[in-house]
Structures are given as structure tokens and as C-alpha cells.
Amino acid sequence: MKDREQQVLMLTSAEGLDCTPGFQQKVFYIDQPAEFIKDQAILNLTFSDCKGNDKLRYEVSSPYFKVNNDGSLVALRNITAVGKTLFVHARTPHAEDMAELVIVGGKDIQGSLQDIFKFARTSPVPRQKRSIVVSPILIPENQRQPFPRDVGKVVDSDRPEGSKFRLTGKGVDQEPKGIFRINENTGSVSVTRTLDRETIATYQLFVETTDVNGKTLEGPVPLEVIVIDQNDNRPIFREGPYIGHVMEGSPTGTTVMRMTAFDADDPATDNALLRYNIRQQTPDKPSPNMFYIDPEKGDIVTVVSPALLDRETLENPKYELIIEAQDMAGLDVGLTGTATATIMIDDKNDHSPKFTKKEFQATVEEGAVGVIVNLTVEDKDDPTTGAWRAAYTIINGNPGQSFEIHTNPQTNEGMLSVVKPLDYEISAFHTLLIKVENEDPLVPDVSYGPSSTATVHITVLDVNEGPVFYPDPMMVTKRENISVGSVLLTVNATDPDSLQHQTIRYSVYKDPAGWLNINPINGTVDTRAVLDRESPFVHNSVYTALFLAIDSGNPPATGTGTLLITLEDVNDNAPFIYPTVAEVCDDAKNLSVVILGASDKDLHPNTDPFKFEIHKQAVPDKVWKISKINNTHALVSLFQNLNKANYHLPIMVTDSGKPPMTNITDLRVQVCSCKNSKVDCNAAGDLHSSVTSVLLLSLFSLACL
């Protein structure tokens, strides 16, 4: 208390006899009474702009007080508790100032302003031995022209003659620059433009005195400028869209959602103290007040009975609320902001699905598959939820699993399908018992009833089915080259339409080689040509043919059967040699001519080992020689060099079949002139292949064994 009295005395003494614009007393102390009485004067404030106080206006930081034109502070209504600090702002076209009112022993009603304006407690006039005296400067935001305007004064009780005041800090010589300045001679501090508390709430400046050369004489001393909040920001709902859900039948008082708004004003003042209310509800049925919002927290809760929250009886399960947030604790002078809250009444599974009828009829042709009937149900629950979506189950009449049922997601119908073809001759009628349930479980007080089951009667229509071969495929094994007219087998086809007593005729459908006949009456299959295992129509020793069985129905029906003939090999193919042409140099030191290989179309044991021989009856001895290399290859060589010419050497090769088969093939040997790495075969005939290529071919064939 002594510090504040000292501050007041210093300020008062500094003003001297000259008129200083502003409040003549900056700080007032008010003892908290039991109650502030409406319109009863609490204290008198003295303000002067030194020019007659024309158009003087006062503003009080609390909405519960006002200052009359004569400077008397009065309450607007009876008040038992207020904050600890009030601020009074006085303004004329020529001057403005701020006074602080400290309520001693007061109770907080909406939070104290003291926490914001801590300068009143934490920044007393310094007790150090110095002559510069500064007090915190309070400036309301959003001041209007004219600028610059004086907002405070620095006093130096012992300032040397010719010294000057200098002001530094953020807002002076630091960004944002040029907001404040000081009269270097008088110490008056002025502001040059409108301030915005929401941008910068306080400025920390420093005052010092300097001599004529700019050298600091005293200081710097801190000077705090505090921007006083004005209610210049509306509450804003900035987290939308706001969508809430509440389950139908919820108890009264169920919390749906929370709506919170933001106010950029000072949160420690009523300027940002918000209150919420519901301005409008759409639709307003069955009650115009379906919901309530907590004015302080913003919680939206239900206020109607659970019976009125019945989604199936509501005109619209979606409500839109216009929510208003108002600052100044909801007083009429407060600013407002609005937002829309959408509340959905969610469905719970309180209605079981019911078939639209107890019995359904369906017909299906035997042998057909696919959907045969759509089962329809009714459900009053929300079509977008599992409380409405149906799940069907066949509970009786489907032992062979010939039927399946699936849900149509668009219509909720049960699509009953045949998945295994039905046989009229086995059963012409089927009866299924089907139940329907929801994907979600029912609420405890609701159960599935008789209407949740239905019977489906299915009639199978008879159709003329094609005969069926048995077995299919049919298989037989025969030796190739059996005589023409040999019987292979008798096919057997039966008609599934046993009740129609139809006859069956047979015919050949596909016989790629043209080897087979079939008796149209009894189905006997015989040969009309020689079977050849080595035929291009035979694959892996198996020949495939197709036959038709045609019944006498109207129209006739056809069945197809497959015959697989496995052909056993006989030694009916002679082996052959390769290559049949060779070259050799007339002066070759290596008298090897060529490596011969042999092959046979038959199968083992009718193939190798092969026997290679020179047909000696046509060739003189002591010129050619043939030597076995392995079971499939032999080497042809010379005993001596030959003259340049073409030679024909008959080679005889024999397989290992019983009886064996032999083949004689001419090997044409071309003897060429090979000089200076050039091969000349012109004098020998028309063949022009090099000895080197023949040897490479022979070695390659040998390497592949």
C-alpha cells in the first residue's frame, strides 16, 4: 500500500502547477461493501484535458458499473461481488487517460482482472536512488484519430539542464517501429496509431536521459505499456462441421456433443467469457425443445423422454440446431457468433424383419442353375444400418446343398438360387424352410417371431436331357497295325429321362484319322483302317475320338462321349542315318570321315542299340571302315587317302526289334583339295561343304549322346 501511495505522490508532484491532461489521481482504493447499491455513488474521479473537457466520455472495464458525466462511479444494479480491479478510460477530442480502481476484499464473480494487469502489483515505482520516475502506461486498443496522442509521462526530478529523454525498445526502434515516441524535453510519451491487443498485448520499453552528445546519464529504466482489451472480437465456431449422434430411445439427459467457440479477446475478462444457447431447432416436432445446451460448457443434451426419441415415428431423424455463443457472459451488450449443429437420431435394432408372406412359389427346369425366386421382407429400421440388413438361412429341405440364398444389398431381398442342377426323375418337388435375421443383434426386449420364417415350394420342370455315356471317357488299349474290321469295344449311353422310354442311336462325331466305325444301334466300334502309333494324329501313343448318342425325343437331345485308344508299338519302322553327306581332304592326315547317327520312329525295345555296317557287296575292301561309338552312333573312316572325287558309300543300319528291320542308305563322301587353308571341291562335283564343318557336325552329334 505504501508503494502505491508513493507512486501517486510522485506522479502528483511531477505534474507541478502546470495542467497535465488526464486523471489527477491514477489509482483508487475501494473497500468492498456488503453490496454495491444501484445508482449510489461509490467515488468521484477527476479528469481534465486542460481544455474544458468538452465531449468527455467514460468507459468502465466491467459491465456492472458506469461513470456519470460528473465523474461519479455508480453500479448499474445491486452487486454483492465483483472483481478485484476495474479500469476507467476517459477520453475527449484532446486527451485520454486510464485510472485503476482496486477493490480491497472483493470477491471474484467472473475471474479477476488482476492477473492480467500485474503491473499494479509487480511494477511499483522503483526504490533505487534515481531521479527518473516511470509508471506503467495503460492504452485501450482500437483508439480513434487523432494521432499522435499523449498516453503518459516520464518525470526526472533531478535532470541536468540540457539533458534529454530517450525511448527505446519494441515499438520504438525495434519492429514494429514507430508506434511510440517521447518528447525529449518534457518526457511526454505518445502513441502514433491504433493498437490491437490481439496482435501485441504488452510493450516493454526503456527510458533514459542523455546529455547533449547522446551519452547516457541515467537509465535505462523499464517502461511497460499495456494494451487494454476492448470487446472487439466476436465468438467464432472454428471446428465445424458439427455433427452429433444419439441413439433412439436414449434416456433424458444423454449428452450428444459439445459445442465450443473461440473469442480472441482477453480470456481473463468478460470480453471473452462465453455463454451458449439454442436459437432455433429444425424441425420442431414432436417437441420444439428436443435438446438443451449447457450455457457454460456448451454440452448439448436430450431433454425429451425416450419415447419421443423413436426414430421410426419421427418426421425426420435429423435435427439442425442454430447454436449462439455470446461474450460478456451473455449480457445483451455482448457480441455473438453462431454455428449449425446437426444431430442424427441413430437407429437401434428394435424391429425384427418379417416376410411379406408365409409361402413363396418357384419353378425351375431340371439341369438349370441360378436365381429362382426373390424373397421379400419388411423392416422398419434404418436401411443404412445392420439393424435393417437381412441375413437369410435355409434351415430345412436342403440336404444335398442344391440351394443357396444371398441378400440383395439394394433391396434387402433374399435371392434363392439353385447351385447344383436338380433332377426331375429323382424329385419333382422341393420344400424349403427359410428364416431371416438382421446383421446386428436385436435389442433385449425384441425377439424374432413366426413372421421371420417362410416356406418356399419349388416345382422342377422336366426337360429332354441328352444321353450320358458311361464311363466317360472310355479307354481301350490295342496294338497298332491290327487288322481292319477289328472290334475295339461297345460304347454304352443311357437316357436320364427314364420316364419317357426313348431310344438311342450312335454316330461318330470326331475321328481325325478316319480309322473308326460305330454301329448306330448297339454302339459297337471297329476299325476301318490300319491304326498307326506313329501317325501325327496320335499323341503320346493315345488316339482320341468322339461319339454322339442321340435320343428319340422331340426335339432330340444329344450326349457326347470320348474314346481314348492307347496304341501299343510294333516294330514297323526301319531306322535311318544322318547325315547323308560328308567331306574330306584328299591329303588329310586324319582319315576320319564322319560320325553317323541313327534314329527310329518306334519305341524301345524296337529301336537301339543299332548295328552299323558297310554294304560290302558294292564296295571294295581295304578302303572304308565303320566303327561303333555307342548304341546310336558310328564313325566312318578311310584306310588311305583318296583322289579328289565324289564317292557313294552304302551304309546298312539295323534296329533291335524282333524281328529286326534294316535300312540301306547311300552316304555321299566328297573328297576335296585342301591347300593353303582353302578347300576346293569343284573337281569333285557339286557339293561344297568343308571338312571342318563335317567334323564339327560329327563332334556335335557325338556330344549330344
Side-chain angles (χ1 to χ4, degrees):
M1 180 70 73
K2 292 182 178 180
D3 289 342
R4 289 189 174 278
E5 292 174 351
Q6 181 182 4
Q7 180 178 347
V8 173
L9 290 174
M10 295 175 103
L11 289 171
T12 304
S13 63
E15 291 174 2
L17 299 176
D18 296 334
C19 179
T20 301
F23 283 105
Q24 301 308 303
Q25 183 175 339
K26 301 292 186 180
V27 181
F28 296 84
Y29 295 92
I30 304 171
D31 290 329
Q32 170 73 58
E35 185 177 38
F36 289 99
I37 306 301
K38 179 180 179 181
D39 295 331
Q40 179 177 319
I42 299 170
L43 57 83
N44 290 316
L45 305 170
T46 302
F47 174 86
S48 175
D49 66 353
C50 301
K51 293 188 179 181
N53 285 354
D54 184 36
K55 297 181 181 180
L56 173 61
R57 292 180 56 192
Y58 292 99
E59 295 178 353
V60 185
S61 61
S62 171
Y64 307 117
F65 297 89
K66 72 174 181 178
V67 177
N68 294 324
N69 291 336
D70 61 359
S72 60
L73 174 71
V74 298
L76 294 175
R77 58 182 176 85
N78 293 346
I79 305 171
T80 57
V82 297
K84 294 182 179 179
T85 306
L86 302 178
F87 294 93
V88 177
H89 178 223
R91 177 168 56 198
T92 74
H94 305 289
E96 64 178 298
D97 198 6
M98 184 80 70
E100 178 185 8
L101 284 61
V102 180
I103 300 175
V104 180
K107 299 179 181 178
D108 292 341
I109 184 171
Q110 299 293 353
S112 174
L113 295 176
Q114 178 182 356
D115 292 337
I116 300 167
F117 303 109
K118 291 184 179 178
F119 66 91
R121 306 291 181 263
T122 60
S123 302
V125 176
R127 296 178 178 230
Q128 300 161 335
K129 293 182 179 181
R130 61 189 182 192
S131 59
I132 297 178
V133 179
V134 296
S135 296
I137 297 176
L138 304 168
I139 306 176
E141 65 174 335
N142 303 324
Q143 288 180 315
R144 296 189 295 271
Q145 293 284 354
F147 289 105
R149 62 173 68 199
D150 291 340
V151 293
K153 189 172 184 180
V154 177
V155 177
D156 188 344
S157 58
D158 192 20
R159 182 161 63 96
E161 184 176 354
S163 63
K164 300 180 183 298
F165 290 103
R166 181 163 61 194
L167 187 65
T168 59
K170 180 180 178 179
V172 182
D173 56 351
Q174 300 175 22
E175 294 295 340
K177 295 180 180 179
I179 296 179
F180 305 100
R181 61 191 183 191
I182 191 170
N183 187 308
E184 62 182 12
N185 296 316
T186 66
S188 293
V189 178
S190 59
V191 64
T192 62
R193 57 180 180 264
T194 299
L195 302 182
D196 182 4
R197 189 203 69 86
E198 285 71 45
T199 302
I200 301 177
T202 61
Y203 295 86
Q204 191 66 44
L205 308 180
F206 297 91
V207 180
E208 57 186 348
T209 57
T210 64
D211 59 17
V212 294
N213 297 319
K215 181 180 179 181
T216 300
L217 298 176
E218 186 176 354
V221 176
L223 170 61
E224 187 174 23
V225 178
I226 300 173
V227 183
I228 303 301
D229 186 43
Q230 304 290 318
N231 192 19
D232 59 346
N233 289 277
R234 293 182 178 275
I236 299 174
F237 292 90
R238 58 185 184 181
E239 297 178 358
Y242 297 91
I243 301 175
H245 294 264
V246 61
M247 189 70 69
E248 63 172 329
S250 295
T252 303
T254 299
T255 300
V256 181
M257 61 191 300
R258 172 170 287 188
M259 298 280 289
T260 54
F262 169 78
D263 195 311
D265 291 319
D266 191 341
T269 69
D270 286 351
N271 294 338
L273 186 59
L274 305 182
R275 293 293 180 264
Y276 301 92
N277 69 89
I278 300 175
R279 292 191 52 181
Q280 181 179 329
Q281 171 191 301
T282 306
D284 59 0
K285 300 289 190 298
S287 168
N289 300 303
M290 299 285 290
F291 306 94
Y292 164 80
I293 188 168
D294 186 302
E296 295 185 6
K297 297 179 180 178
D299 289 339
I300 300 176
V301 299
T302 62
V303 294
V304 294
S305 66
L308 290 182
L309 279 180
D310 185 357
R311 187 186 176 283
E312 286 72 41
T313 61
L314 292 177
E315 178 182 330
N316 189 339
K318 180 174 74 172
Y319 287 87
E320 290 190 350
L321 307 180
I322 304 299
I323 306 298
E324 178 184 73
Q326 187 171 27
D327 60 21
M328 299 300 294
L331 295 178
D332 292 341
V333 295
L335 302 177
T336 62
T338 60
T340 299
T342 301
I343 299 178
M344 307 297 299
I345 310 301
D346 291 340
D347 187 38
K348 63 180 179 181
N349 198 8
D350 54 353
H351 295 86
S352 61
K354 298 178 180 179
F355 283 101
T356 58
K357 52 186 178 181
K358 290 297 296 179
E359 294 184 346
F360 294 85
Q361 306 291 330
T363 58
V364 58
E365 292 184 347
E366 66 171 331
V369 294
V371 177
I372 58 174
V373 66
N374 290 323
L375 310 179
T376 53
V377 295
E378 293 178 344
D379 195 317
K380 295 181 180 180
D381 292 313
D382 184 357
T384 63
T385 67
W388 176 82
R389 291 190 291 271
Y392 297 86
T393 306
I394 303 173
I395 59 177
N396 196 14
N398 190 28
Q401 305 300 310
S402 298
F403 302 94
E404 286 184 359
I405 187 166
H406 299 280
T407 303
N408 185 320
Q410 281 74 41
T411 64
N412 219 27
E413 294 177 342
M415 301 181 294
L416 180 62
S417 303
V418 176
V419 294
K420 293 182 180 179
L422 304 177
D423 191 339
Y424 172 84
E425 284 71 31
I426 295 177
S427 178
F429 300 97
H430 296 267
T431 301
L432 305 180
L433 184 61
I434 297 176
K435 71 175 180 180
V436 61
E437 297 175 316
N438 288 132
E439 289 184 3
D440 292 348
L442 295 173
V443 296
D445 54 341
V446 178
S447 60
Y448 295 103
S451 297
S452 295
T453 59
T455 302
V456 182
H457 299 285
I458 302 167
T459 300
V460 182
L461 302 178
D462 188 27
V463 297
N464 186 22
E465 301 172 86
V468 178
F469 284 87
Y470 182 82
D472 190 27
M474 300 161 282
M475 292 181 285
V476 65
T477 300
K478 298 292 181 181
R479 289 173 61 86
E480 66 173 331
N481 296 337
I482 60 174
S483 59
V484 175
S486 298
V487 175
L488 300 180
L489 80 165
T490 299
V491 301
N492 179 40
T494 59
D495 194 336
D497 302 303
S498 57
L499 302 179
Q500 299 184 23
H501 305 290
Q502 298 179 126
T503 60
I504 297 175
R505 295 181 62 85
Y506 300 97
S507 65
V508 176
Y509 179 41
K510 288 187 178 179
D511 178 17
W515 291 341
L516 307 176
N517 288 315
I518 188 169
N519 187 301
I521 305 300
N522 61 23
T524 299
V525 179
D526 60 9
T527 62
R528 65 172 183 174
V530 175
L531 307 184
D532 183 7
R533 193 198 67 83
E534 289 74 37
S535 167
F537 299 106
V538 176
H539 302 284
N540 296 324
S541 300
V542 177
Y543 179 71
T544 302
L546 301 179
F547 297 95
L548 298 179
I550 307 168
D551 66 20
S552 58
N554 186 18
T558 301
T560 303
T562 301
L563 173 61
L564 302 179
I565 306 173
T566 300
L567 296 175
E568 296 178 340
D569 186 44
V570 297
N571 193 18
D572 57 349
N573 289 277
F576 57 90
I577 65 168
Y578 59 88
T580 58
V581 177
E583 291 182 355
V584 65
C585 293
D586 57 359
D587 58 353
K589 296 180 181 179
N590 184 355
L591 298 180
S592 296
V593 177
V594 67
I595 294 176
L596 296 179
S599 182
D600 195 316
K601 293 182 179 180
D602 293 319
L603 298 178
H604 189 79
N606 296 321
T607 56
D608 62 273
F610 298 112
K611 181 180 180 182
F612 296 88
E613 298 177 277
I614 297 174
H615 194 48
K616 297 181 179 180
Q617 293 83 348
V619 179
D621 292 334
K622 304 302 181 182
V623 176
W624 303 95
K625 178 183 177 183
I626 188 165
S627 305
K628 179 179 178 180
I629 297 177
N630 54 33
N631 289 343
T632 57
H633 288 76
L635 173 64
V636 176
S637 59
L638 290 168
F639 283 108
Q640 61 186 37
N641 292 112
L642 297 179
N643 293 329
K644 191 171 164 183
N646 284 334
Y647 298 88
H648 294 271
L649 179 65
I651 302 296
M652 182 169 63
V653 59
T654 305
D655 62 25
S656 297
K658 295 182 180 179
M661 295 195 71
T662 299
N663 182 25
I664 299 176
T665 304
D666 273 351
L667 172 65
R668 297 200 308 172
V669 180
Q670 195 170 14
V671 179
C672 306
S673 174
C674 305
K675 296 185 183 298
N676 299 324
S677 300
K678 293 183 179 180
V679 179
D680 181 10
C681 298
N682 291 333
D686 296 330
L687 298 177
H688 302 283
S689 59
S690 70
V691 175
T692 302
S693 63
V694 172
L695 289 176
L696 287 175
L697 176 61
S698 301
L699 292 174
F700 176 79
S701 301
L702 183 60
C704 295
L705 299 179

